[in-house]
Amino acid sequence: MLTLASKLKRDDGVRGPRASNPASDSTRRVSVRDKLLVKEVAELEANLPCTCKVNFPDPNKLHYFQLTVIPDEGYYQGGKFQFEIEVPDAYNMVPPKVKCLTRIWHPNITEMGEICLSAVPSLLSCANVETENSLEILSAPVSPLIQSIAWLQNGCAGGTGVIREMGSRSLLREHSIDGTGWAPTRTLKDVVWGLNSLFTDLLNFDDPLNIEAAEHHLRDKEDFRNKVEDYIKRYAR
């Protein structure tokens, strides 16, 4: 973290008048992204949930990191669930890409790692949006935890969100029909808190991505719990 932050600070210090350079928009946007990430990563690490750990394989590449969520309550208590988060060059104008690396039996995560994070209808106000395997975080004037994760919701109770498969990665929706998709005001902290709450507040059986898991829970809750525990023993230790 400090390595990249020091480099950016040094680059700012030596910047001065120079001839125009036909640098591409992509190159300039990477610089903007990295500057944002220095601040956002510091904020994230200062406000990380006690059930989460982050790992940056390369401290000079803040745009790629892994998140481990270790739930301390509920169906998934005791498991260790790994997520991969990659921040594209055009961030923060476009959202991070997120994938679950741990095989899991979960109504809002497919066994291939695609993610759909829905709302608790009684706590969160819903917005009908179209998304592609998106991690969705909703807007809510409630507890600090919920406020931190809340901004966008796909198809909560009464909603009509649409999910389309698009490959191995999960992607926050960049645009939506009603303009309530990803916004530059969102941060990595919002994403991480949302993933953490996927195992508690935002666990949603009513609007599933993994329909088979949701139907399993509806049909036989005890057998659902047994399968969750079996997956934890096999894949999440």
Side-chain angles (χ1 to χ4, degrees), residues 192-236:
V192 168
W193 277 85
L195 290 170
N196 182 62
S197 290
L198 191 65
F199 300 96
T200 53
D201 302 281
L202 300 187
L203 177 62
N204 190 337
F205 293 98
D206 297 324
D207 183 36
L209 182 58
N210 184 340
I211 297 174
E212 185 179 354
E215 291 179 343
H216 187 188
H217 178 267
L218 178 64
R219 182 174 63 252
D220 190 333
K221 292 180 175 57
E222 188 59 33
D223 194 54
F224 173 84
R225 181 184 293 276
N226 291 338
K227 186 165 183 176
V228 167
E229 292 177 351
D230 179 59
Y231 269 47
I232 290 175
K233 291 176 183 177
R234 294 167 63 185
Y235 308 115

mmCIF file of all heavy atoms in Angstrom, residues 192-236:
data_model
loop_
_atom_site.group_PDB
_atom_site.id
_atom_site.type_symbol
_atom_site.label_atom_id
_atom_site.label_comp_id
_atom_site.label_asym_id
_atom_site.label_seq_id
_atom_site.Cartn_x
_atom_site.Cartn_y
_atom_site.Cartn_z
ATOM 1 N N VAL A 192 -17.185 -4.284 -0.126
ATOM 2 C CA VAL A 192 -16.761 -5.273 0.872
ATOM 3 C C VAL A 192 -17.823 -5.465 1.944
ATOM 4 O O VAL A 192 -18.134 -6.600 2.339
ATOM 5 C CB VAL A 192 -15.413 -4.863 1.485
ATOM 6 C CG1 VAL A 192 -15.103 -5.704 2.722
ATOM 7 C CG2 VAL A 192 -14.302 -5.010 0.446
ATOM 8 N N TRP A 193 -18.404 -4.374 2.424
ATOM 9 C CA TRP A 193 -19.460 -4.509 3.431
ATOM 10 C C TRP A 193 -20.670 -5.241 2.854
ATOM 11 O O TRP A 193 -21.352 -6.006 3.544
ATOM 12 C CB TRP A 193 -19.865 -3.135 3.960
ATOM 13 C CG TRP A 193 -18.954 -2.648 5.047
ATOM 14 C CD1 TRP A 193 -17.772 -1.982 4.898
ATOM 15 C CD2 TRP A 193 -19.136 -2.798 6.460
ATOM 16 N NE1 TRP A 193 -17.211 -1.713 6.116
ATOM 17 C CE2 TRP A 193 -18.029 -2.194 7.094
ATOM 18 C CE3 TRP A 193 -20.133 -3.382 7.244
ATOM 19 C CZ2 TRP A 193 -17.886 -2.157 8.479
ATOM 20 C CZ3 TRP A 193 -19.993 -3.334 8.628
ATOM 21 C CH2 TRP A 193 -18.884 -2.735 9.236
ATOM 22 N N GLY A 194 -20.945 -5.018 1.588
ATOM 23 C CA GLY A 194 -22.044 -5.723 0.951
ATOM 24 C C GLY A 194 -21.795 -7.218 0.871
ATOM 25 O O GLY A 194 -22.673 -8.031 1.168
ATOM 26 N N LEU A 195 -20.578 -7.606 0.476
ATOM 27 C CA LEU A 195 -20.241 -9.021 0.417
ATOM 28 C C LEU A 195 -20.303 -9.661 1.798
ATOM 29 O O LEU A 195 -20.771 -10.796 1.950
ATOM 30 C CB LEU A 195 -18.846 -9.189 -0.187
ATOM 31 C CG LEU A 195 -18.728 -8.873 -1.677
ATOM 32 C CD1 LEU A 195 -17.274 -8.836 -2.105
ATOM 33 C CD2 LEU A 195 -19.501 -9.880 -2.508
ATOM 34 N N ASN A 196 -19.842 -8.952 2.802
ATOM 35 C CA ASN A 196 -19.901 -9.471 4.165
ATOM 36 C C ASN A 196 -21.350 -9.732 4.594
ATOM 37 O O ASN A 196 -21.663 -10.761 5.208
ATOM 38 C CB ASN A 196 -19.245 -8.477 5.120
ATOM 39 C CG ASN A 196 -19.210 -8.965 6.548
ATOM 40 O OD1 ASN A 196 -18.595 -9.979 6.859
ATOM 41 N ND2 ASN A 196 -19.883 -8.255 7.446
ATOM 42 N N SER A 197 -22.241 -8.827 4.252
ATOM 43 C CA SER A 197 -23.643 -8.959 4.646
ATOM 44 C C SER A 197 -24.403 -9.972 3.802
ATOM 45 O O SER A 197 -25.548 -10.303 4.108
ATOM 46 C CB SER A 197 -24.334 -7.598 4.560
ATOM 47 O OG SER A 197 -23.853 -6.744 5.565
ATOM 48 N N LEU A 198 -23.765 -10.471 2.761
ATOM 49 C CA LEU A 198 -24.377 -11.516 1.959
ATOM 50 C C LEU A 198 -24.670 -12.761 2.793
ATOM 51 O O LEU A 198 -25.530 -13.569 2.447
ATOM 52 C CB LEU A 198 -23.427 -11.879 0.811
ATOM 53 C CG LEU A 198 -23.919 -12.760 -0.325
ATOM 54 C CD1 LEU A 198 -25.010 -12.060 -1.103
ATOM 55 C CD2 LEU A 198 -22.760 -13.106 -1.238
ATOM 56 N N PHE A 199 -23.976 -12.900 3.918
ATOM 57 C CA PHE A 199 -24.147 -14.070 4.776
ATOM 58 C C PHE A 199 -25.059 -13.794 5.964
ATOM 59 O O PHE A 199 -25.321 -14.694 6.764
ATOM 60 C CB PHE A 199 -22.776 -14.541 5.270
ATOM 61 C CG PHE A 199 -21.858 -14.933 4.145
ATOM 62 C CD1 PHE A 199 -20.931 -14.030 3.641
ATOM 63 C CD2 PHE A 199 -21.946 -16.188 3.568
ATOM 64 C CE1 PHE A 199 -20.102 -14.378 2.583
ATOM 65 C CE2 PHE A 199 -21.126 -16.547 2.516
ATOM 66 C CZ PHE A 199 -20.197 -15.641 2.024
ATOM 67 N N THR A 200 -25.541 -12.555 6.085
ATOM 68 C CA THR A 200 -26.399 -12.216 7.230
ATOM 69 C C THR A 200 -27.586 -11.380 6.769
ATOM 70 O O THR A 200 -28.589 -11.914 6.319
ATOM 71 C CB THR A 200 -25.584 -11.459 8.300
ATOM 72 O OG1 THR A 200 -24.908 -10.330 7.692
ATOM 73 C CG2 THR A 200 -24.535 -12.367 8.935
ATOM 74 N N ASP A 201 -27.478 -10.063 6.850
ATOM 75 C CA ASP A 201 -28.591 -9.154 6.580
ATOM 76 C C ASP A 201 -29.159 -9.282 5.177
ATOM 77 O O ASP A 201 -30.366 -9.131 4.971
ATOM 78 C CB ASP A 201 -28.170 -7.698 6.808
ATOM 79 C CG ASP A 201 -27.666 -7.463 8.205
ATOM 80 O OD1 ASP A 201 -28.480 -7.325 9.122
ATOM 81 O OD2 ASP A 201 -26.428 -7.435 8.379
ATOM 82 N N LEU A 202 -28.298 -9.508 4.185
ATOM 83 C CA LEU A 202 -28.739 -9.505 2.798
ATOM 84 C C LEU A 202 -28.854 -10.893 2.190
ATOM 85 O O LEU A 202 -28.966 -11.031 0.966
ATOM 86 C CB LEU A 202 -27.813 -8.630 1.952
ATOM 87 C CG LEU A 202 -27.753 -7.164 2.386
ATOM 88 C CD1 LEU A 202 -26.947 -6.347 1.385
ATOM 89 C CD2 LEU A 202 -29.142 -6.571 2.558
ATOM 90 N N LEU A 203 -28.821 -11.927 3.014
ATOM 91 C CA LEU A 203 -29.121 -13.274 2.542
ATOM 92 C C LEU A 203 -30.592 -13.311 2.126
ATOM 93 O O LEU A 203 -31.484 -13.064 2.929
ATOM 94 C CB LEU A 203 -28.852 -14.274 3.671
ATOM 95 C CG LEU A 203 -29.178 -15.745 3.404
ATOM 96 C CD1 LEU A 203 -28.326 -16.283 2.263
ATOM 97 C CD2 LEU A 203 -28.954 -16.556 4.676
ATOM 98 N N ASN A 204 -30.850 -13.628 0.854
ATOM 99 C CA ASN A 204 -32.198 -13.469 0.309
ATOM 100 C C ASN A 204 -32.657 -14.738 -0.411
ATOM 101 O O ASN A 204 -32.138 -15.088 -1.461
ATOM 102 C CB ASN A 204 -32.232 -12.289 -0.658
ATOM 103 C CG ASN A 204 -33.639 -11.907 -1.076
ATOM 104 O OD1 ASN A 204 -34.564 -12.700 -1.027
ATOM 105 N ND2 ASN A 204 -33.783 -10.670 -1.499
ATOM 106 N N PHE A 205 -33.639 -15.416 0.184
ATOM 107 C CA PHE A 205 -34.201 -16.620 -0.428
ATOM 108 C C PHE A 205 -35.372 -16.304 -1.361
ATOM 109 O O PHE A 205 -35.807 -17.159 -2.124
ATOM 110 C CB PHE A 205 -34.676 -17.588 0.661
ATOM 111 C CG PHE A 205 -33.561 -18.169 1.490
ATOM 112 C CD1 PHE A 205 -33.244 -17.624 2.728
ATOM 113 C CD2 PHE A 205 -32.829 -19.247 1.027
ATOM 114 C CE1 PHE A 205 -32.213 -18.156 3.488
ATOM 115 C CE2 PHE A 205 -31.792 -19.790 1.784
ATOM 116 C CZ PHE A 205 -31.487 -19.239 3.013
ATOM 117 N N ASP A 206 -35.885 -15.099 -1.278
ATOM 118 C CA ASP A 206 -37.073 -14.740 -2.038
ATOM 119 C C ASP A 206 -36.772 -14.322 -3.476
ATOM 120 O O ASP A 206 -37.643 -14.387 -4.343
ATOM 121 C CB ASP A 206 -37.836 -13.612 -1.337
ATOM 122 C CG ASP A 206 -38.351 -14.029 0.027
ATOM 123 O OD1 ASP A 206 -38.754 -15.211 0.165
ATOM 124 O OD2 ASP A 206 -38.335 -13.206 0.959
ATOM 125 N N ASP A 207 -35.560 -13.868 -3.730
ATOM 126 C CA ASP A 207 -35.180 -13.421 -5.069
ATOM 127 C C ASP A 207 -33.808 -14.005 -5.402
ATOM 128 O O ASP A 207 -32.813 -13.301 -5.451
ATOM 129 C CB ASP A 207 -35.151 -11.893 -5.115
ATOM 130 C CG ASP A 207 -34.835 -11.394 -6.520
ATOM 131 O OD1 ASP A 207 -35.279 -12.030 -7.494
ATOM 132 O OD2 ASP A 207 -34.131 -10.373 -6.638
ATOM 133 N N PRO A 208 -33.746 -15.333 -5.604
ATOM 134 C CA PRO A 208 -32.455 -16.014 -5.701
ATOM 135 C C PRO A 208 -31.806 -15.937 -7.076
ATOM 136 O O PRO A 208 -32.478 -15.756 -8.092
ATOM 137 C CB PRO A 208 -32.817 -17.466 -5.380
ATOM 138 C CG PRO A 208 -34.211 -17.599 -5.925
ATOM 139 C CD PRO A 208 -34.877 -16.267 -5.661
ATOM 140 N N LEU A 209 -30.507 -16.083 -7.084
ATOM 141 C CA LEU A 209 -29.752 -16.326 -8.313
ATOM 142 C C LEU A 209 -29.589 -17.832 -8.495
ATOM 143 O O LEU A 209 -29.722 -18.353 -9.587
ATOM 144 C CB LEU A 209 -28.392 -15.640 -8.232
ATOM 145 C CG LEU A 209 -27.479 -15.752 -9.448
ATOM 146 C CD1 LEU A 209 -28.152 -15.193 -10.684
ATOM 147 C CD2 LEU A 209 -26.155 -15.038 -9.192
ATOM 148 N N ASN A 210 -29.297 -18.518 -7.385
ATOM 149 C CA ASN A 210 -29.248 -19.982 -7.376
ATOM 150 C C ASN A 210 -30.638 -20.482 -6.953
ATOM 151 O O ASN A 210 -30.929 -20.658 -5.762
ATOM 152 C CB ASN A 210 -28.168 -20.479 -6.412
ATOM 153 C CG ASN A 210 -28.006 -21.988 -6.450
ATOM 154 O OD1 ASN A 210 -28.891 -22.718 -6.886
ATOM 155 N ND2 ASN A 210 -26.867 -22.466 -5.970
ATOM 156 N N ILE A 211 -31.510 -20.664 -7.939
ATOM 157 C CA ILE A 211 -32.900 -21.032 -7.656
ATOM 158 C C ILE A 211 -32.993 -22.385 -6.969
ATOM 159 O O ILE A 211 -33.810 -22.587 -6.064
ATOM 160 C CB ILE A 211 -33.718 -21.031 -8.960
ATOM 161 C CG1 ILE A 211 -33.757 -19.614 -9.545
ATOM 162 C CG2 ILE A 211 -35.134 -21.541 -8.718
ATOM 163 C CD1 ILE A 211 -34.416 -19.528 -10.901
ATOM 164 N N GLU A 212 -32.127 -23.305 -7.347
ATOM 165 C CA GLU A 212 -32.164 -24.643 -6.759
ATOM 166 C C GLU A 212 -31.886 -24.585 -5.255
ATOM 167 O O GLU A 212 -32.541 -25.270 -4.468
ATOM 168 C CB GLU A 212 -31.143 -25.551 -7.450
ATOM 169 C CG GLU A 212 -31.201 -27.001 -6.986
ATOM 170 C CD GLU A 212 -30.197 -27.880 -7.697
ATOM 171 O OE1 GLU A 212 -29.524 -27.396 -8.631
ATOM 172 O OE2 GLU A 212 -30.075 -29.063 -7.315
ATOM 173 N N ALA A 213 -30.931 -23.747 -4.847
ATOM 174 C CA ALA A 213 -30.614 -23.618 -3.419
ATOM 175 C C ALA A 213 -31.781 -22.996 -2.669
ATOM 176 O O ALA A 213 -32.107 -23.418 -1.550
ATOM 177 C CB ALA A 213 -29.350 -22.773 -3.242
ATOM 178 N N ALA A 214 -32.416 -21.996 -3.265
ATOM 179 C CA ALA A 214 -33.551 -21.346 -2.606
ATOM 180 C C ALA A 214 -34.721 -22.320 -2.460
ATOM 181 O O ALA A 214 -35.383 -22.366 -1.406
ATOM 182 C CB ALA A 214 -33.975 -20.119 -3.391
ATOM 183 N N GLU A 215 -34.989 -23.095 -3.491
ATOM 184 C CA GLU A 215 -36.077 -24.071 -3.414
ATOM 185 C C GLU A 215 -35.767 -25.172 -2.409
ATOM 186 O O GLU A 215 -36.664 -25.681 -1.729
ATOM 187 C CB GLU A 215 -36.323 -24.663 -4.802
ATOM 188 C CG GLU A 215 -36.925 -23.658 -5.785
ATOM 189 C CD GLU A 215 -37.142 -24.256 -7.166
ATOM 190 O OE1 GLU A 215 -36.534 -25.322 -7.457
ATOM 191 O OE2 GLU A 215 -37.894 -23.650 -7.956
ATOM 192 N N HIS A 216 -34.498 -25.519 -2.323
ATOM 193 C CA HIS A 216 -34.063 -26.513 -1.332
ATOM 194 C C HIS A 216 -34.381 -26.017 0.082
ATOM 195 O O HIS A 216 -34.911 -26.752 0.908
ATOM 196 C CB HIS A 216 -32.563 -26.760 -1.492
ATOM 197 C CG HIS A 216 -32.037 -27.874 -0.643
ATOM 198 N ND1 HIS A 216 -30.681 -28.138 -0.540
ATOM 199 C CD2 HIS A 216 -32.655 -28.793 0.159
ATOM 200 C CE1 HIS A 216 -30.507 -29.164 0.263
ATOM 201 N NE2 HIS A 216 -31.682 -29.575 0.713
ATOM 202 N N HIS A 217 -34.073 -24.760 0.349
ATOM 203 C CA HIS A 217 -34.356 -24.164 1.656
ATOM 204 C C HIS A 217 -35.843 -24.138 1.942
ATOM 205 O O HIS A 217 -36.286 -24.417 3.066
ATOM 206 C CB HIS A 217 -33.776 -22.752 1.707
ATOM 207 C CG HIS A 217 -34.038 -22.021 2.981
ATOM 208 N ND1 HIS A 217 -35.126 -21.189 3.157
ATOM 209 C CD2 HIS A 217 -33.358 -22.007 4.154
ATOM 210 C CE1 HIS A 217 -35.097 -20.689 4.365
ATOM 211 N NE2 HIS A 217 -34.041 -21.158 4.999
ATOM 212 N N LEU A 218 -36.638 -23.804 0.930
ATOM 213 C CA LEU A 218 -38.080 -23.755 1.102
ATOM 214 C C LEU A 218 -38.661 -25.139 1.384
ATOM 215 O O LEU A 218 -39.551 -25.309 2.226
ATOM 216 C CB LEU A 218 -38.724 -23.163 -0.158
ATOM 217 C CG LEU A 218 -40.252 -23.066 -0.174
ATOM 218 C CD1 LEU A 218 -40.741 -22.103 0.909
ATOM 219 C CD2 LEU A 218 -40.737 -22.622 -1.543
ATOM 220 N N ARG A 219 -38.100 -26.128 0.713
ATOM 221 C CA ARG A 219 -38.605 -27.494 0.814
ATOM 222 C C ARG A 219 -38.215 -28.172 2.128
ATOM 223 O O ARG A 219 -39.012 -28.859 2.765
ATOM 224 C CB ARG A 219 -38.088 -28.306 -0.373
ATOM 225 C CG ARG A 219 -38.561 -29.734 -0.434
ATOM 226 C CD ARG A 219 -38.098 -30.394 -1.713
ATOM 227 N NE ARG A 219 -36.635 -30.484 -1.799
ATOM 228 C CZ ARG A 219 -35.882 -29.759 -2.615
ATOM 229 N NH1 ARG A 219 -36.433 -28.877 -3.429
ATOM 230 N NH2 ARG A 219 -34.569 -29.907 -2.633
ATOM 231 N N ASP A 220 -36.951 -27.970 2.552
ATOM 232 C CA ASP A 220 -36.442 -28.674 3.735
ATOM 233 C C ASP A 220 -35.284 -27.882 4.325
ATOM 234 O O ASP A 220 -34.134 -28.034 3.917
ATOM 235 C CB ASP A 220 -35.986 -30.082 3.345
ATOM 236 C CG ASP A 220 -35.660 -30.963 4.539
ATOM 237 O OD1 ASP A 220 -35.293 -30.424 5.600
ATOM 238 O OD2 ASP A 220 -35.768 -32.206 4.409
ATOM 239 N N LYS A 221 -35.571 -27.029 5.283
ATOM 240 C CA LYS A 221 -34.560 -26.141 5.855
ATOM 241 C C LYS A 221 -33.430 -26.919 6.532
ATOM 242 O O LYS A 221 -32.268 -26.514 6.459
ATOM 243 C CB LYS A 221 -35.204 -25.160 6.843
ATOM 244 C CG LYS A 221 -36.119 -24.136 6.183
ATOM 245 C CD LYS A 221 -36.722 -23.201 7.199
ATOM 246 C CE LYS A 221 -37.534 -22.091 6.531
ATOM 247 N NZ LYS A 221 -38.612 -22.618 5.663
ATOM 248 N N GLU A 222 -33.766 -28.004 7.199
ATOM 249 C CA GLU A 222 -32.738 -28.774 7.894
ATOM 250 C C GLU A 222 -31.788 -29.442 6.897
ATOM 251 O O GLU A 222 -30.574 -29.462 7.093
ATOM 252 C CB GLU A 222 -33.384 -29.831 8.795
ATOM 253 C CG GLU A 222 -32.400 -30.548 9.710
ATOM 254 C CD GLU A 222 -31.652 -29.601 10.645
ATOM 255 O OE1 GLU A 222 -32.244 -28.586 11.068
ATOM 256 O OE2 GLU A 222 -30.467 -29.876 10.940
ATOM 257 N N ASP A 223 -32.348 -29.970 5.821
ATOM 258 C CA ASP A 223 -31.500 -30.585 4.807
ATOM 259 C C ASP A 223 -30.664 -29.536 4.087
ATOM 260 O O ASP A 223 -29.514 -29.794 3.700
ATOM 261 C CB ASP A 223 -32.356 -31.354 3.804
ATOM 262 C CG ASP A 223 -31.533 -32.285 2.929
ATOM 263 O OD1 ASP A 223 -30.783 -33.107 3.480
ATOM 264 O OD2 ASP A 223 -31.629 -32.172 1.677
ATOM 265 N N PHE A 224 -31.241 -28.346 3.898
ATOM 266 C CA PHE A 224 -30.479 -27.230 3.323
ATOM 267 C C PHE A 224 -29.280 -26.918 4.216
ATOM 268 O O PHE A 224 -28.155 -26.769 3.734
ATOM 269 C CB PHE A 224 -31.368 -25.994 3.184
ATOM 270 C CG PHE A 224 -30.624 -24.757 2.761
ATOM 271 C CD1 PHE A 224 -30.365 -24.493 1.427
ATOM 272 C CD2 PHE A 224 -30.170 -23.836 3.708
ATOM 273 C CE1 PHE A 224 -29.675 -23.351 1.027
ATOM 274 C CE2 PHE A 224 -29.475 -22.698 3.329
ATOM 275 C CZ PHE A 224 -29.229 -22.456 1.984
ATOM 276 N N ARG A 225 -29.514 -26.817 5.520
ATOM 277 C CA ARG A 225 -28.423 -26.535 6.462
ATOM 278 C C ARG A 225 -27.351 -27.626 6.385
ATOM 279 O O ARG A 225 -26.153 -27.336 6.393
ATOM 280 C CB ARG A 225 -28.964 -26.445 7.888
ATOM 281 C CG ARG A 225 -27.893 -26.130 8.926
ATOM 282 C CD ARG A 225 -28.460 -26.150 10.331
ATOM 283 N NE ARG A 225 -29.401 -25.063 10.532
ATOM 284 C CZ ARG A 225 -29.032 -23.820 10.872
ATOM 285 N NH1 ARG A 225 -27.759 -23.519 11.037
ATOM 286 N NH2 ARG A 225 -29.953 -22.896 11.043
ATOM 287 N N ASN A 226 -27.778 -28.877 6.280
ATOM 288 C CA ASN A 226 -26.811 -29.969 6.198
ATOM 289 C C ASN A 226 -25.950 -29.868 4.950
ATOM 290 O O ASN A 226 -24.739 -30.125 4.989
ATOM 291 C CB ASN A 226 -27.546 -31.318 6.210
ATOM 292 C CG ASN A 226 -28.179 -31.624 7.554
ATOM 293 O OD1 ASN A 226 -27.781 -31.081 8.588
ATOM 294 N ND2 ASN A 226 -29.187 -32.494 7.548
ATOM 295 N N LYS A 227 -26.564 -29.470 3.833
ATOM 296 C CA LYS A 227 -25.791 -29.337 2.598
ATOM 297 C C LYS A 227 -24.827 -28.155 2.683
ATOM 298 O O LYS A 227 -23.690 -28.239 2.203
ATOM 299 C CB LYS A 227 -26.731 -29.180 1.397
ATOM 300 C CG LYS A 227 -25.982 -29.179 0.063
ATOM 301 C CD LYS A 227 -26.905 -29.398 -1.120
ATOM 302 C CE LYS A 227 -26.121 -29.471 -2.416
ATOM 303 N NZ LYS A 227 -26.979 -29.777 -3.591
ATOM 304 N N VAL A 228 -25.279 -27.057 3.284
ATOM 305 C CA VAL A 228 -24.387 -25.912 3.493
ATOM 306 C C VAL A 228 -23.178 -26.336 4.313
ATOM 307 O O VAL A 228 -22.027 -26.017 3.980
ATOM 308 C CB VAL A 228 -25.141 -24.758 4.195
ATOM 309 C CG1 VAL A 228 -24.149 -23.703 4.693
ATOM 310 C CG2 VAL A 228 -26.145 -24.116 3.249
ATOM 311 N N GLU A 229 -23.421 -27.075 5.401
ATOM 312 C CA GLU A 229 -22.327 -27.518 6.269
ATOM 313 C C GLU A 229 -21.401 -28.488 5.550
ATOM 314 O O GLU A 229 -20.182 -28.466 5.752
ATOM 315 C CB GLU A 229 -22.910 -28.145 7.532
ATOM 316 C CG GLU A 229 -23.609 -27.133 8.436
ATOM 317 C CD GLU A 229 -24.258 -27.770 9.649
ATOM 318 O OE1 GLU A 229 -24.313 -29.028 9.709
ATOM 319 O OE2 GLU A 229 -24.720 -27.016 10.536
ATOM 320 N N ASP A 230 -21.978 -29.338 4.694
ATOM 321 C CA ASP A 230 -21.158 -30.266 3.907
ATOM 322 C C ASP A 230 -20.251 -29.497 2.957
ATOM 323 O O ASP A 230 -19.058 -29.805 2.819
ATOM 324 C CB ASP A 230 -22.069 -31.206 3.129
ATOM 325 C CG ASP A 230 -21.269 -32.173 2.267
ATOM 326 O OD1 ASP A 230 -20.445 -32.936 2.819
ATOM 327 O OD2 ASP A 230 -21.469 -32.176 1.032
ATOM 328 N N TYR A 231 -20.792 -28.453 2.304
ATOM 329 C CA TYR A 231 -19.972 -27.637 1.404
ATOM 330 C C TYR A 231 -18.879 -26.903 2.174
ATOM 331 O O TYR A 231 -17.749 -26.767 1.677
ATOM 332 C CB TYR A 231 -20.869 -26.628 0.663
ATOM 333 C CG TYR A 231 -21.416 -27.120 -0.650
ATOM 334 C CD1 TYR A 231 -21.984 -28.391 -0.753
ATOM 335 C CD2 TYR A 231 -21.388 -26.339 -1.781
ATOM 336 C CE1 TYR A 231 -22.511 -28.850 -1.953
ATOM 337 C CE2 TYR A 231 -21.894 -26.789 -2.994
ATOM 338 C CZ TYR A 231 -22.463 -28.041 -3.060
ATOM 339 O OH TYR A 231 -22.959 -28.491 -4.259
ATOM 340 N N ILE A 232 -19.201 -26.442 3.361
ATOM 341 C CA ILE A 232 -18.184 -25.761 4.181
ATOM 342 C C ILE A 232 -17.043 -26.715 4.498
ATOM 343 O O ILE A 232 -15.863 -26.359 4.385
ATOM 344 C CB ILE A 232 -18.808 -25.192 5.460
ATOM 345 C CG1 ILE A 232 -19.721 -23.998 5.128
ATOM 346 C CG2 ILE A 232 -17.723 -24.756 6.450
ATOM 347 C CD1 ILE A 232 -20.479 -23.452 6.316
ATOM 348 N N LYS A 233 -17.375 -27.939 4.907
ATOM 349 C CA LYS A 233 -16.352 -28.926 5.247
ATOM 350 C C LYS A 233 -15.497 -29.274 4.042
ATOM 351 O O LYS A 233 -14.283 -29.474 4.155
ATOM 352 C CB LYS A 233 -17.010 -30.185 5.802
ATOM 353 C CG LYS A 233 -17.644 -30.007 7.164
ATOM 354 C CD LYS A 233 -18.353 -31.281 7.599
ATOM 355 C CE LYS A 233 -19.057 -31.081 8.951
ATOM 356 N NZ LYS A 233 -19.814 -32.299 9.352
ATOM 357 N N ARG A 234 -16.107 -29.347 2.868
ATOM 358 C CA ARG A 234 -15.386 -29.766 1.669
ATOM 359 C C ARG A 234 -14.626 -28.644 0.979
ATOM 360 O O ARG A 234 -13.538 -28.876 0.407
ATOM 361 C CB ARG A 234 -16.384 -30.383 0.679
ATOM 362 C CG ARG A 234 -16.994 -31.687 1.178
ATOM 363 C CD ARG A 234 -18.201 -32.095 0.346
ATOM 364 N NE ARG A 234 -17.849 -32.371 -1.043
ATOM 365 C CZ ARG A 234 -18.738 -32.652 -1.992
ATOM 366 N NH1 ARG A 234 -20.039 -32.666 -1.696
ATOM 367 N NH2 ARG A 234 -18.350 -32.899 -3.215
ATOM 368 N N TYR A 235 -15.172 -27.426 1.031
ATOM 369 C CA TYR A 235 -14.608 -26.347 0.211
ATOM 370 C C TYR A 235 -14.199 -25.095 0.961
ATOM 371 O O TYR A 235 -13.484 -24.257 0.391
ATOM 372 C CB TYR A 235 -15.624 -25.936 -0.868
ATOM 373 C CG TYR A 235 -16.160 -27.071 -1.686
ATOM 374 C CD1 TYR A 235 -17.521 -27.408 -1.623
ATOM 375 C CD2 TYR A 235 -15.335 -27.826 -2.515
ATOM 376 C CE1 TYR A 235 -18.034 -28.461 -2.383
ATOM 377 C CE2 TYR A 235 -15.842 -28.874 -3.275
ATOM 378 C CZ TYR A 235 -17.177 -29.188 -3.204
ATOM 379 O OH TYR A 235 -17.679 -30.237 -3.945
ATOM 380 N N ALA A 236 -14.646 -24.916 2.193
ATOM 381 C CA ALA A 236 -14.489 -23.594 2.849
ATOM 382 C C ALA A 236 -13.773 -23.667 4.184
ATOM 383 O O ALA A 236 -14.055 -22.898 5.085
ATOM 384 C CB ALA A 236 -15.871 -22.956 3.023
#
